[in-house]
Structure formats: structure tokens, C-alpha cells
């Protein structure tokens, strides 16, 4: 547990000292969303119709792009090698890293989402559901994306490759994440769909870090 | 007894050299059997099976569509199993299989999508619908592409195979989740009419050619995997003595 705390505070500190990595995904999220009213139509009815999907696709892409260099700096500085050879189980610092990354890049997306949802003309009564869905969904996206990031860490061309690997794995989270907002707008039963989203989070948060650790071991040739 | 045999096979076929000699004994008769079975099933289905009372002749595309779809699905499951064996036990042949299984499976997934949409036009009146099965097959194709892409960018072959293996394991879990999550969205595709257990709802005159073409497609897939795996084994073991002798003797 003390290892976990130490790793967590290290990761938070490292991320905190490179604010671009925190701010860029957030601005990406805001910018992508503001493209849609300009490209499709500023009409409130149309916007409200596409809003759940737009919010979710933008959040998904922002999370994925923020993960591109997740392990790169650690690899270049040799920290990763030390981590893999240290007597600590790799899963522990990996979980800390994912948690730190989500706290500083995923959580801000959740916090600004009601503002954006309002700008996309979603009714006020669903703003809570928007936030809840992203709160349950973005950590799952972080963990799944980290698997792809771990597998491509040694390759100097993340970007598109990461997208090709990770996007198909994001689909279930996307379906239920955007689905729960749509259900809320139609006045359907929200808790059931939220529960499925929570189940996906439980699955990825429990098994995902193991896969990330295995991926890091494979990438470093151990 | 059966378990012992399986274990022995596992260890024998785990050796690249044994696999190579084994496959050169199997391929000469498996290849013609696969081709004959597939052609028999296709000719029977396309030319001689009765036409459907509702769909007319357009239904005949199932004799390609269903074998391709089932092959693509089984191929991904095989990819997941090889991935598990490659990542957990680091067995060399499983790594070779990972590379050998993916391309044909991706091609079958593409064939399944194309034939499906061609059939969808006269029957449902549209080439494409975001229905559960079509969406899952499309995502299956994406995941095949991911596995192949990852294998291509990592230079060290053993590392490439294990990375792709991990991706395939995660992918298998994903296929299952995707299947159930898109069923939550409305479904247009008909349910299975062919059942392994219990009464099939398909006419026997259509069932047998379909079963034969499915079997033929699977055999052809196996042949393709064996051929690809052989050349991969030869490449990986190119510095070993037995491959060197093989080359000197002109591949005999």
C-alpha cells in the first residue's frame, strides 16, 4: 500500500509539472465538440439529437490521444526498466499511474462536460446523467487505452497505430456511455444502463492493469 | 488416455521442426480434400439446392456467407487461444500460429460483410444496417486489422507475436461484450437457422450443402494456416541446421 501511495504521488507530481499534458486533452475535448454545431447545424433540435454521441466520441478521442505518450517518458528515462526489474509487482505502480493519469486528464473532462452538454442544447435534467456516464466511462477508457499504449511503447509511431488497436476495444463503453444519455433523454430506465457501464468499469479496472503490466513486459522484451 | 494423447500432441507440435515434417505429410492430402469439399458444397448449394419460396435464388449467397462468417469467428477464437498460449507459456509454435491465423480470418470477415450486404439489398432493401451481427462482424474485422498492424510494426518477431497475442486475448473478451452490447441496439438479422443441437429450422436440402461448404471453408482455412505457419517456421529457424539442409536439398 505504501508503494502504491509513493507511486501515486510521484505520478501526480510528474504530471502536475507538465501542465500541457493536462490542459491539451481538455482543450481538445472542448474544441472537437465546438466543431459539430459549426459543421452540422446550430439548430437546437438537431444538436440535442447528436449531443450524446458527440460528447462521448470527443471524450473517447481525448482520452485516447492523451494516452499516446503515457509510458514514453518513463521508457526514455529508464524508469520503466527499473520498475519492471524491481521486486514490487508491476501491477501496483501501473495502477497508480493509471489512477494519476485519470485524475488529471479524465476527471477534468467529466467536470467540464455539463457546460458542453448545455452548449449542445441538452436538457438540464440529463446533465447529471452526462456527468455520471463520463465518470464511470472515462476511467475504463483510460485503462483500455493504456493496454494499447503499453504494447506500442517502444515504437516511435504511436498515434494512428494506437487508434487502430484501441478504438475497437472502446466500442462497448461507447455504446453504453452514449446509450445511457439517450435513454435519459427519452425518459427510459437509466440505472440499469449505468449499472452495465459500472460493470464494464469493474471489469477493466480489475483486469486491465494486469494486461497493461503484461504489455509493458512484452514491449521491454522481458 | 485422451488427455495423454492431447498432451503428447501439444508437446510434439510445439516443436517447430516436428511441426514442419508433420505439416509436409498432412498438406498433400488435406489440400485436395479441402478444395473438393468446398467445391462440392458450393456447386451443390449454388446449382442444385432448391430455391427458397420467399427469397428465390438470392438466398444462395448463404453458401458463401455462412462459411465465411463462421470461419472468421472461429479464426478469432483460435487467435485468442494461441495468444493465451503464447503469452502465458511462451510457446514458439503458438507465436507462429498467431501470425498464420490472422490474414485469412480478416479476409473471411471482409467476405462475410460483402456477401451479407449484397444479400441484404434484395432482401431487406438496404446494403447496410447497423444491426447487431453486422456491427459485430465489422468490429471483428477491425480487430483482425489491429492484430495484423501490431505484428507488422514490431520488428523482433517473438516480441511482435506476444504483443499481438495479448491484444488478441483482450480482443476475444471484447468480441463477446460487443456481441451482447450491440444486441441491445435493435436487431434486423435473422437468428441462426442452423443448430448443432436440437432441430434446425432450415430445409435439409439446403442444410447439407451448407454444412459441406462450411466444412470445406474450415479445411481451406486450416490449409492456409499450415502453409503460412510453415513459411514462418522456416524463416524463424533459418539459422538452424535442419532448415539449412532443407534449403540445400532444394526444399525436399
Amino acid at each position: 500500500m505504501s508503494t502504491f501511495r509513493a507511486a501515486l504521488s510521484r505520478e501526480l507530481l510528474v504530471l502536475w509539472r507538465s501542465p500541457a499534458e493536462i490542459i491539451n486533452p481538455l482543450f481538445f475535448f472542448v474544441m472537437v465538440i465546438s466543431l459539430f454545431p459549426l459543421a452540422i447545424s446550430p439548430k437546437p433540435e438537431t444538436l440535442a439529437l447528436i449531443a450524446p454521441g458527440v460528447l462521448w466520441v470527443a471524450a473517447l478521442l481525448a482520452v485516447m490521444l492523451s494516452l499516446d505518450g503515457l509510458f514514453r517518458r518513463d521508457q526514455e528515462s529508464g524508469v520503466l526498466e527499473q520498475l519492471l526489474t524491481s521486486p514490487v509487482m508491476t501491477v501496483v505502480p501501473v495502477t497508480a499511474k493509471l489512477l494519476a493519469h485519470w485524475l488529471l486528464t479524465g476527471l477534468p473532462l467529466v467536470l467540464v462536460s455539463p457546460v458542453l452538454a448545455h452548449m449542445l442544447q441538452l436538457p438540464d435534467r440529463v446533465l447529471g446523467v452526462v456527468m455520471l456516464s463520463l465518470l464511470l466511462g472515462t476511467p475504463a477508457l483510460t485503462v483500455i487505452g493504456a493496454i494499447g499504449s503499453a504494447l506500442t511503447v517502444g515504437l516511435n509511431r504511436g498515434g494512428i497505430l494506437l487508434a487502430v488497436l484501441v478504438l475497437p476495444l472502446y466500442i462497448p463503453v461507447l455504446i453504453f456511455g452514449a446509450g445511457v444519455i439517450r435513454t435519459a433523454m427519452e425518459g427510459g430506465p437509466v440505472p440499469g444502463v449505468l449499472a452495465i457501464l459500472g460493470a464494464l468499469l469493474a471489469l477493466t479496472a480489475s483486469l486491465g492493469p494486469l494486461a497493461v503490466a503484461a504489455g509493458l513486459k512484452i514491449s521491454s522484451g522481458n | 488416455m485422451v488427455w495423454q494423447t492431447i498432451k503428447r500432441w501439444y508437446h510434439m507440435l510445439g516443436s517447430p521442426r516436428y511441426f514442419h515434417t508433420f505439416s509436409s505429410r498432412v498438406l498433400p492430402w488435406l489440400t485436395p480434400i479441402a478444395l473438393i469439399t468446398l467445391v462440392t458444397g458450393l456447386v451443390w448449394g449454388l446449382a442444385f439446392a432448391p430455391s427458397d419460396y420467399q427469397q428465390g435464388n438470392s438466398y444462395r449467397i448463404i453458401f458463401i456467407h455462412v462459411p465465411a462468417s463462421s470461419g472468421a469467428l472461429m479464426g478469432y477464437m483460435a487467435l485468442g487461444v494461441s495468444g493465451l498460449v503464447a503469452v502465458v507459456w511462451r510457446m514458439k509454435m503458438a507465436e507462429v500460429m498467431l501470425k498464420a491465423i490472422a490474414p485469412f480470418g480478416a479476409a473471411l470477415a471482409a467476405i462475410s460483410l460483402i456477401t451479407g450486404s449484397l444479400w441484404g439489398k434484395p432482401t431487406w432493401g438496404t446494403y447496410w444496417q447497423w444491426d447487431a451481427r453486422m456491427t459485430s462482424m465489422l468490429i471483428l474485422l477491425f480487430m483482425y486489422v489491429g492484430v495484423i498492424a501490431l505484428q507488422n510494426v514490431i520488428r523482433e518477431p517473438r516480441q511482435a507475436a506476444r504483443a499481438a497475442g495479448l491484444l488478441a486475448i483482450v480482443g476475444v473478451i471484447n468480441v463477446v461484450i460487443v456481441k451482447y452490447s450491440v444486441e441491445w441496439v435493435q436487431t434486423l438479422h435473422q437468428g441462426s437457422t442452423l443448430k448443432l443441437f436440437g432441430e434446425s429450422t432450415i430445409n435439409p436440402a439446403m442444410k447439407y450443402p451448407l454444412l459441406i461448404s462450411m466444412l470445406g471453408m474450415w479445411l481451406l482455412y486450416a490449409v492456409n494456416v499450415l502453409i503460412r505457419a510453415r513459411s514462418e517456421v522456416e524463416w524463424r529457424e533459418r539459422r538452424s541446421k535442419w532448415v539449412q539442409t532443407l534449403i540445400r536439398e532444394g526444399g525436399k
Side-chain angles (χ1 to χ4, degrees), chain B residues 113-133:
Chain B
L113 286 171
I114 294 167
T115 52
S117 68
L118 288 178
W119 176 82
K121 185 65 186 168
T123 318
W124 297 333
T126 170
Y127 284 115
W128 188 261
Q129 269 289 329
W130 291 96
D131 131 279
R133 287 190 174 201

Side-chain angles (χ1 to χ4, degrees), chain B residues 20 29 60 69 72 106 109 141 151 174 185 197 214 223:
Chain B
H20 198 271
W29 53 267
R60 289 183 197 276
S69 317
L141 175 65
Q151 277 176 340
N174 192 50
V185 186
F197 306 103
M214 278 167 85
V223 167

Side-chain angles (χ1 to χ4, degrees), chain A:
Chain A
M1 208 55 214
S2 63
T3 325
F4 182 78
R5 220 174 300 135
L8 184 64
S9 59
R10 172 192 177 262
E11 297 298 342
L12 284 173
L13 189 66
V14 169
L15 253 182
W16 188 250
R17 293 213 171 133
S18 50
E21 284 183 41
I22 304 171
I23 294 169
N24 286 352
L26 189 61
F27 268 93
F28 176 86
F29 183 55
V30 176
M31 285 174 187
V32 166
I33 285 177
S34 58
L35 294 181
F36 282 86
L38 305 176
I40 295 175
S41 145
K43 262 192 275 168
E45 315 83 78
T46 322
L47 279 183
L49 197 66
I50 59 164
V54 169
L55 277 167
W56 258 89
V57 171
L60 183 153
L61 292 176
V63 170
M64 190 192 73
L65 291 174
S66 76
L67 289 169
D68 189 22
L70 185 61
F71 297 105
R72 190 166 300 141
R73 186 168 30 197
D74 283 355
Q75 198 221 10
E76 283 166 358
S77 61
V79 171
L80 193 61
E81 201 73 6
Q82 294 298 318
L83 250 174
L84 291 169
T85 49
S86 72
V88 190
M89 275 170 73
T90 322
V91 189
V92 179
V94 161
T95 314
K97 191 175 184 70
L98 295 179
L99 181 61
H101 192 268
W102 178 77
L103 282 174
L104 291 185
T105 60
L107 195 57
L109 302 187
V110 179
L111 296 178
V112 297
S113 63
V115 179
L116 293 165
H118 185 75
M119 285 163 75
L120 289 173
Q121 315 293 347
L122 279 178
D124 286 346
R125 63 189 160 84
V126 304
L127 295 189
V129 178
V130 169
M131 281 184 84
L132 258 179
S133 78
L134 285 171
L135 188 67
L136 290 172
T138 45
L141 296 178
T142 304
V143 175
I144 299 170
I147 300 174
S149 185
L151 287 175
T152 53
V153 67
L155 311 165
N156 282 328
R157 40 173 153 177
I160 299 264
L161 178 68
L162 184 66
V164 170
L165 301 186
V166 162
L167 285 182
L169 305 176
Y170 275 173
I171 287 168
V173 184
L174 175 71
I175 290 175
F176 290 110
V180 70
I181 305 178
R182 277 208 313 272
T183 313
M185 286 170 70
E186 291 158 5
V190 170
V193 191
L194 274 180
I196 297 177
L197 209 54
L200 286 175
L201 174 60
L203 179 73
T204 49
S206 55
L207 296 180
L210 294 171
V212 176
L216 286 173
K217 278 184 195 136
I218 291 171
S219 293
S220 62
N222 285 310

